[in-house]
Amino acid sequence: MKRTAFSLVCSVILFGINIFPVTAEGISLNGTWTLDFWEQKRTPVVSPEQMQGIEYETIQASVPGNVELDLLSAGLVADPEIGSNVYLLRPFEGYQWRYSRSFVSPEYSRDDEVFLCFGGIDCYAEIYLNGSHIGSSANMLIEHEYDVTDALLPPGGENRLEVYIRSSVMEGRKNIPPVISFNFAQVESVYSRRAPHTYGWDIMPRLVSAGLWRDVTLDVRTPVHIVDAHWYTVAADAERKTASLYLDYTVTLPVKYQDGMMTAEFTVSRDGVDKVRSTQTITSHSARVIFNLEDVDLWWPRGYGDPALYDARVRILDVNGNEVDSDSRKIGLRTVSLDMTGTNSEEAPGRFCFIVNGEKVYVHGSNWTPMDAFHSRDAAHLEKAFAIARDLNCNMLRCWGGNVYEDHAFFDLCDANGIMVWQDFAMGCTLYPQDPDFQKAIAQEVRSVAVKLRSHPSLVLWAGNNENDQTLTLGTLRPFRMDPNDDIVSRVTIPSVLYEVDPTRPYLPSSPYWSEELVSTSYSTDNIPEDHLWGPRGYYKDPFYTEAKCIFVSEIGYHGMPNRESLEKMFPPESVYPWSDVKSRTWNEDWLTKSVRIFKEWGYTPDRNNLMINQVRLLFGEVPTDLDDFIFASQSVQAEAMKFFIEKFRGHKFEPNTGMLWWNIRDGWPLISDAIVDWYNSPKMAYWFIRNAQTDVCALMNDAVDGSYPLVVVNDTRKAADGNVTVTDVNSGEVVFKGEYHVPANGKTVVASIPERDGQGIFKISYTGMDGSPQENHYLYGKAPYDLNEYRRLLKKTRMFNVK
């Protein structure tokens, strides 16, 4: 979150009739560019000289942007969000793209440095300024900056900037994939450092895009400027309200400015009150300052306390006291650890529990998946998507490894709202190359991402990848009996970099993690402390779910239909009704595309549509042919399943369960999926069920044990909770329990055991929350199948949900 002073940069810089905005992050080069494109030949174009004889088309491009969106704006392709139009983009996977624009050089002194900064280049690119090659990129996922001081024209001169992007697909196909890479993902992806989902996933379409997908800026830097300022807490005492805060800062320090010519000033304050104000003579380009703070407020996860943030600032002053450069950011004072064992069994119970400021934290949250298949639009979705997580009272979000890395704006929201972040590195569902070149690329990526994000208090865990261990042990590679602990990337490369740049956070090699102990002993998912519970996706109370042995679930989900209004937006009118043949339940082509079918009429498809049919049949005994009834049935199944999963684990808080991260917040494309909010930000029924099940203090019922239903109140705060609770049988109106509850801080209490009932029905649970406000929940009792119309009637009678 670098902040650079621009004392020598003019406040507005004219380019034709346009004005370049000068921001704290630099001079923006966003806006309208020229985009040339052509089919890539056997030898790609990587320089202006090679453009001779190339026939190309030209359109306008938006930066930040993706080339497909520019093609859409130019009327060259149909809207890929509708029906099966996404397949029309597939030929463009083999194209090259040239972004170009002119800009006027800003004012800068002879001693200044000027850097061209790209927030994101997708992906394989060569960058030229005024005909000079200034750099290359081969990683979509990290920021790139290039020193252009020598290539830039003098102030006032008009520069030409060109970015040549070649096909990621063709680059990936240059390699013979390792044997270990043949599994879920398209093997052409394994050498490319791109978001894994872009090659096609069960939650996203195949869209191997290209573009300048984040901001492009020009940054003028004075001879002495701040390179990095890393604030981190090494000790915190909640009871005494003390903390030990470290600052490691690095500056450029030309020889003529050394020996006490510069001073560093440090301030840490909150609400205008300073906790730190000190100075230090700069004698080295890098230094550490330690602050032992008293009477401070610590940063806490949501529910466990205030996510207190402090304003931290570093200023560089010259001999006259003038500011040369500064860095300002929000920081939180907190410690975090992960109490984890490598195995879990009845004989030797395992552990997987996050501890913040010495307090065990029960995790209730979700997986954060791609906001958009076109990542240049991610920022436009952020506020609405984050509002979902906040409204559902999530205290953790797992940034899934098939995605890009979120920018500071996401982490700023998590910091301010007390939402912890579990961050996967961007690898998933396969084993990646082990050669030195790939290790070097990953090391560069990890360093870039970790240094960028490490000062955010919300970031509580780095994880090496998503399901790579599991791929070796459960996928098509299982017969090889390969040990995932031999994976150099997750066991050596990543932790080596983190050991160097961010040693205060825990690291998990993979999710789920197959430890050396697990592989050498049981080699069974029954003994994994943390797991992803997908399985057969049959009835949500199958033994696969009810008898799961894991302590912590970091992925679990259930399919649910979008609302009809959303279906009418994502399908052509003739395709809204799903079945081309009702009797055989044959899905029409567009519904297969949205299921998600990666390639048109062939190739991998997860067949999620038929999963929905099976899940509806298991709960309700039949599958409606009326579309509105099918939507209601499908959403009901998803809602009851998600609620059941969450409450099953919360009802056993710390005995032994420690948390659940369900799948997932929101769709990143118009799809039929597991998300609880669709692409159009329209909530499914599960949204409201989860909202009731994730309150800080929650009254819930678990399935019957020994002839009675446990009525449990859980308390995910650091204060004891007292209140009243009433359980009513919705159909008869009979009050089956009425009483008071007391729950200790961060604990749970079994308030009552309610005798098991014959037949089927819904219990309505009414109770007072932590602040005395009225809260509601429900429990569906009896054994499936249920009558769909009766279920609808009872749910409507609870008056808890807007049921039609």
Side-chain angles (χ1 to χ4, degrees):
M1 194 175 291
K2 189 169 183 297
R3 301 290 186 261
T4 305
F6 293 97
S7 57
L8 298 175
V9 182
C10 56
S11 60
V12 292
I13 300 172
L14 300 180
F15 167 61
I17 60 172
N18 297 320
I19 298 178
F20 282 141
V22 180
T23 70
E25 301 296 342
I27 302 164
S28 174
L29 296 184
N30 293 345
T32 301
W33 292 47
T34 297
L35 181 64
D36 306 314
F37 58 99
W38 61 94
E39 189 173 350
Q40 182 169 316
K41 307 304 180 185
R42 185 174 61 85
T43 301
V45 174
V46 295
S47 68
E49 293 79 13
Q50 291 179 292
M51 287 299 294
Q52 297 295 325
I54 298 294
E55 295 184 5
Y56 55 84
E57 296 183 63
T58 302
I59 58 176
Q60 283 191 335
S62 294
V63 174
N66 291 78
V67 295
E68 295 86 350
L69 297 175
D70 298 319
L71 295 173
L72 179 62
S73 296
L76 299 180
V77 296
D79 188 346
E81 297 174 14
I82 307 301
S84 298
N85 289 343
V86 68
Y87 301 128
L88 299 176
L89 300 177
R90 185 154 164 76
F92 293 101
E93 292 180 2
Y95 273 59
Q96 278 200 260
W97 314 86
R98 176 173 67 175
Y99 281 86
S100 61
R101 73 162 304 156
S102 296
F103 66 92
V104 174
S105 293
E107 293 294 326
Y108 61 97
S109 76
R110 183 177 58 185
D111 292 333
D112 289 341
E113 297 175 317
V114 185
F115 284 82
L116 181 63
C117 306
F118 293 87
I121 303 176
D122 189 5
C123 167
Y124 294 94
E126 306 299 328
I127 299 96
Y128 285 81
L129 181 62
N130 299 322
S132 296
H133 183 252
I134 61 168
S136 306
S137 81
N139 192 321
M140 167 195 182
L141 302 163
I142 62 176
E143 298 174 346
H144 300 271
E145 67 174 35
Y146 308 95
D147 187 340
V148 296
T149 309
D150 294 335
L152 196 69
L153 295 178
E158 186 170 306
N159 303 272
R160 177 170 173 78
L161 175 60
E162 299 172 275
V163 182
Y164 292 81
I165 301 178
R166 56 194 182 273
S167 165
S168 290
V169 170
M170 295 176 72
E171 285 290 326
R173 291 176 181 174
K174 291 179 180 179
N175 303 290
I176 298 175
V179 172
I180 59 174
S181 299
F182 285 86
N183 207 69
F184 179 86
Q186 303 298 316
V187 290
E188 63 203 356
S189 73
V190 297
Y191 278 94
S192 297
R193 294 313 300 144
R194 305 173 42 87
H197 77 83
T198 59
Y199 292 86
W201 215 270
D202 56 358
I203 63 162
M204 294 293 280
R206 180 183 171 98
L207 266 172
V208 191
S209 186
L212 306 179
W213 66 278
R214 277 184 175 157
D215 295 336
V216 182
T217 59
L218 199 66
D219 192 357
V220 180
R221 301 173 187 172
T222 54
V224 178
H225 59 264
I226 299 170
V227 177
D228 183 62
H230 177 207
W231 300 86
Y232 54 105
T233 309
V234 298
D237 189 314
E239 185 175 344
R240 294 193 175 110
K241 299 188 69 174
T242 60
S244 180
L245 175 66
Y246 279 41
L247 166 64
D248 295 347
Y249 69 94
T250 302
V251 300
T252 55
L253 191 62
V255 172
K256 65 180 180 179
Y257 293 107
Q258 64 185 16
D259 296 332
M261 294 186 66
M262 294 287 172
T263 300
E265 179 187 84
F266 320 109
T267 57
V268 177
S269 62
R270 188 176 189 219
D271 299 329
V273 177
D274 287 346
K275 286 295 176 185
V276 168
R277 182 170 291 275
S278 64
T279 59
Q280 181 183 78
T281 300
I282 296 177
T283 58
S284 173
H285 84 290
S286 192
R288 170 172 296 161
V289 190
I290 301 174
F291 308 102
N292 293 310
L293 307 179
E294 297 181 350
D295 192 27
V296 291
D297 298 313
L298 302 185
W299 185 94
W300 289 98
R302 194 172 184 85
Y304 283 79
D306 180 26
L309 294 176
Y310 285 81
D311 296 303
R313 190 179 190 193
V314 181
R315 298 173 69 215
I316 306 300
L317 309 175
D318 64 18
V319 290
N320 297 315
N322 298 315
E323 181 179 300
V324 175
D325 198 5
S326 67
D327 180 283
S328 299
R329 64 187 72 208
K330 298 280 189 182
I331 65 169
L333 306 174
R334 64 100 184 95
T335 58
V336 61
S337 61
L338 177 60
D339 183 18
M340 179 184 73
T341 56
T343 61
N344 175 47
S345 66
E346 291 185 10
E347 300 78 23
R351 302 185 306 278
F352 193 96
C353 185
F354 288 90
I355 299 175
V356 177
N357 302 328
E359 184 84 27
K360 293 168 65 175
V361 175
Y362 184 88
V363 170
H364 45 82
S366 183
N367 281 263
W368 186 268
T369 53
M371 291 292 96
D372 202 314
F374 297 124
H375 285 290
S376 64
R377 303 190 299 194
D378 283 357
H381 302 300
L382 178 59
E383 289 287 346
K384 288 184 178 179
F386 190 84
I388 297 167
R390 184 171 50 220
D391 189 51
L392 295 178
N393 199 37
C394 295
N395 66 14
M396 179 179 280
L397 293 171
R398 172 178 177 250
C399 289
W400 171 66
N403 197 5
V404 297
Y405 301 105
E406 293 295 338
D407 212 344
H408 285 298
F410 168 80
F411 288 89
D412 289 343
L413 287 170
C414 291
D415 292 345
N417 288 275
I419 297 181
M420 299 176 289
V421 179
W422 163 328
Q423 178 67 64
D424 285 359
F425 287 105
M427 291 174 281
C429 295
T430 190
L431 257 290
Y432 286 78
Q434 305 287 291
D435 64 86
D437 287 343
F438 191 80
Q439 293 176 51
K440 183 178 179 180
I442 292 298
Q444 178 191 20
E445 180 178 318
V446 172
R447 182 179 298 273
S448 175
V449 173
V451 169
K452 174 181 176 178
L453 301 176
R454 61 188 178 178
S455 286
H456 287 281
S458 57
L459 181 56
V460 299
L461 178 71
W462 298 110
N465 56 67
N466 170 75
E467 297 183 356
N468 289 8
D469 282 14
Q470 185 168 289
T471 294
L472 270 185
T473 52
L474 299 181
T476 62
L477 296 172
R478 182 163 189 164
F480 293 88
R481 300 288 289 187
M482 300 176 76
D483 186 347
N485 294 288
D486 293 332
D487 173 31
I488 297 175
V489 173
S490 65
R491 269 52 174 196
V492 178
T493 305
I494 297 176
S496 295
V497 177
L498 293 177
Y499 178 83
E500 179 182 344
V501 303
D502 193 21
T504 66
R505 280 185 182 86
Y507 171 67
L508 183 69
S510 184
S511 178
Y513 168 46
W514 284 65
S515 66
E516 292 183 8
E517 182 183 2
L518 179 69
V519 172
S520 65
T521 55
S522 68
Y523 208 81
S524 168
T525 55
D526 286 344
N527 299 110
I528 293 181
E530 169 258 342
D531 204 1
H532 297 181
L533 293 183
W534 290 109
R537 305 207 194 187
Y539 182 40
Y540 62 84
K541 292 189 180 182
D542 279 347
F544 175 81
Y545 299 110
T546 60
E547 297 177 10
K549 301 295 194 301
C550 56
I551 299 166
F552 189 105
V553 175
S554 42
E555 285 188 22
I556 189 170
Y558 220 71
H559 239 53
M561 287 280 292
N563 295 312
R564 187 184 184 100
E565 295 81 0
S566 298
L567 296 176
E568 291 173 348
K569 293 175 183 177
M570 73 173 73
F571 290 115
E574 65 275 12
S575 299
V576 172
Y577 189 76
W579 298 294
S580 57
D581 182 84
V582 178
K583 186 176 181 180
S584 63
R585 299 284 180 171
T586 301
W587 301 91
N588 69 49
E589 285 296 307
D590 288 339
W591 275 74
L592 291 174
T593 297
K594 297 295 188 184
S595 67
V596 180
R597 181 179 57 182
I598 293 177
F599 301 117
K600 186 177 182 180
E601 298 179 356
W602 64 278
Y604 172 78
T605 177
D607 199 27
R608 297 294 173 76
N609 293 344
N610 287 329
L611 281 176
M612 284 192 300
I613 285 180
N614 184 51
Q615 290 163 354
V616 168
R617 182 179 291 113
L618 287 168
L619 189 61
F620 295 114
E622 59 180 358
V623 181
T625 57
D626 177 82
L627 179 56
D628 291 318
D629 287 343
F630 182 68
I631 292 170
F632 175 77
S634 174
Q635 288 198 7
S636 298
V637 175
Q638 181 192 36
E640 292 290 353
M642 297 297 284
K643 169 183 160 59
F644 174 77
F645 297 151
I646 293 168
E647 293 182 344
K648 178 184 182 296
F649 263 56
R650 287 197 83 182
H652 295 87
K653 174 179 175 174
F654 298 147
E655 295 177 355
N657 301 134
T658 57
M660 175 174 288
L661 298 170
W662 41 266
W663 192 276
N664 62 317
I665 287 280
R666 176 188 172 273
D667 282 326
W669 192 254
L671 296 172
I672 314 300
S673 75
D674 306 271
I676 64 161
V677 175
D678 66 32
W679 164 253
Y680 305 101
N681 295 310
S682 181
K684 304 174 187 178
M685 190 186 300
Y687 182 99
W688 310 109
F689 282 34
I690 292 173
R691 194 169 184 258
N692 288 346
Q694 288 200 161
T695 54
D696 286 340
V697 175
C698 183
L700 58 90
M701 292 180 70
N702 285 153
D703 275 359
V705 178
D706 297 328
S708 62
Y709 307 107
L711 174 62
V712 181
V713 180
V714 292
N715 177 10
D716 292 346
T717 78
R718 292 188 298 127
K719 296 180 181 179
D722 297 276
N724 302 307
V725 58
T726 301
V727 180
T728 307
D729 190 304
V730 172
N731 192 37
S732 66
E734 176 191 357
V735 175
V736 298
F737 176 81
K738 185 173 184 178
E740 297 179 344
Y741 71 81
H742 171 80
V743 192
N746 202 18
K748 75 172 177 65
T749 296
V750 179
V751 177
S753 295
I754 298 174
E756 191 171 5
R757 297 206 149 194
D758 294 332
Q760 301 169 329
I762 291 177
F763 288 134
K764 182 176 180 179
I765 307 168
S766 304
Y767 64 103
T768 52
M770 174 67 78
D771 57 357
S773 61
Q775 303 289 333
E776 294 179 318
N777 205 350
H778 79 281
Y779 174 77
L780 177 65
Y781 69 81
K783 298 186 182 301
Y786 297 83
D787 179 87
L788 180 62
N789 291 328
E790 177 64 8
Y791 173 79
R792 190 199 308 254
R793 185 187 72 82
L794 290 175
L795 203 62
K796 186 175 182 180
K797 196 173 180 180
T798 67
R799 297 184 180 178
M800 295 171 59
F801 310 104
N802 184 21
V803 179
K804 297 179 181 178

